[in-house]
Amino acid sequence: MFVSIDGIDGCGKSTLVTNVITMLRDRGFSVVHTREPYCQEVRDRIARGVDPFVALSLFLMDRAYHVADVIVPNRQAIVVTDRYGLSTAAYQGYLLRDRLPDAVAEIRRLNNALFPTPDRSYIVDVPVDVALARIHRRPGTDVYEHREILMHVRDNFLDLARHDPTVRVLDGTQPPAALSRIVCADILTEPADGGTDKQAKNKQDIGDMISR
């Protein structure tokens, strides 16, 4: 099984990934913990700041290595990645909005055409003020960790989920332990109705997030 967890910087996704992996391993499951950017060189170049088209190219190249090295060889296990295609569409879609028509959707379509689709995709959502408060409690600042960017990227994440009922939006303001239990239960549960109830619940969740 392949699981991706995405969200804006400061949403708590990395904590969620760690907690979920611990809970699954405690239950006896074989779990592979991974993240994007996958290659250290790509992480370093992105951290220094690059043109958005260059960044998009780097992310796609990085994902190709990630898929070949980690995701495909470990499909018998539960592979949990901290960031995947939704993050690229949400972040680079905003940064390329004036240079690439319908940037978010185009990047999403490109990613879906080139790379495996996760069996479970989650977006951890929090208000931008909550995310910034968490960011300011840790040392250093990422190139994307600014209010205006995070506001637009959050909107992009929610819009992506609104148009893809397989993506579940999670309330990242919940206690970490409670959120981890929700995700673990969802990963280990196959929808009995083809996902209809989950899709309806996801639409309601997105509406609630937008109103916050």
Side-chain angles (χ1 to χ4, degrees):
M1 174 179 279
F2 177 30
V3 179
S4 66
I5 300 180
D6 293 88
I8 64 172
D9 292 273
C11 69
K13 63 175 179 47
S14 296
T15 298
L16 177 61
V17 167
T18 300
N19 290 347
V20 166
I21 288 171
T22 298
M23 293 177 73
L24 290 171
R25 285 175 175 166
D26 286 347
R27 297 184 184 192
F29 292 95
S30 175
V31 187
V32 176
H33 183 181
T34 188
R35 65 166 178 159
E36 291 192 356
Y38 168 64
C39 302
Q40 184 62 52
E41 181 180 354
V42 172
R43 290 197 290 269
D44 293 343
R45 291 192 66 184
I46 295 297
R48 292 196 297 268
V50 295
D51 178 86
F53 265 123
V54 175
L56 176 59
S57 299
L58 287 171
F59 283 128
L60 294 176
M61 177 194 71
D62 180 81
R63 184 160 301 129
Y65 282 110
H66 189 205
V67 167
D69 289 353
V70 179
I71 295 169
V72 170
N74 289 287
R75 289 305 291 263
Q76 282 86 2
I78 301 175
V79 178
V80 182
T81 182
D82 183 338
R83 292 204 184 285
Y84 192 61
L86 289 169
S87 286
T88 308
Y91 277 89
Q92 303 315 123
Y94 168 66
L95 295 172
L96 290 169
R97 66 197 181 282
D98 296 326
R99 299 165 64 184
L100 180 65
D102 202 12
V104 175
E106 285 301 317
I107 294 170
R108 181 68 168 146
R109 279 193 287 270
L110 179 62
N111 188 80
N112 287 345
L114 293 174
F115 304 114
T117 300
D119 300 295
R120 296 286 193 277
S121 295
Y122 303 99
I123 292 171
V124 183
D125 181 73
V126 296
V128 171
D129 285 341
V130 172
L132 287 170
R134 293 173 177 176
I135 289 168
H136 293 156
R137 289 198 294 266
R138 65 192 191 209
T141 302
D142 188 273
V143 292
Y144 301 131
E145 294 176 345
H146 301 282
R147 178 180 295 277
E148 181 179 0
I149 293 176
L150 293 180
M151 287 178 64
H152 288 286
V153 171
R154 184 193 182 211
D155 289 342
N156 285 347
F157 271 124
L158 294 176
D159 193 55
L160 284 162
R162 189 183 298 110
H163 290 91
D164 185 347
T166 68
V167 177
R168 181 167 182 184
V169 179
L170 305 169
D171 181 359
T173 64
Q174 293 186 74
L179 194 59
S180 302
R181 287 193 295 270
I182 290 170
V183 173
C184 280
D186 190 62
I187 288 172
L188 300 176
T189 302
E190 290 294 334
D193 59 352
T196 303
D197 289 344
K198 185 180 294 184
Q199 292 174 16
K201 177 65 165 59
N202 194 42
K203 290 180 180 178
Q204 179 61 48
D205 288 345
I206 296 168
D208 293 342
M209 300 298 176
I210 293 170
S211 66
R212 294 211 313 250

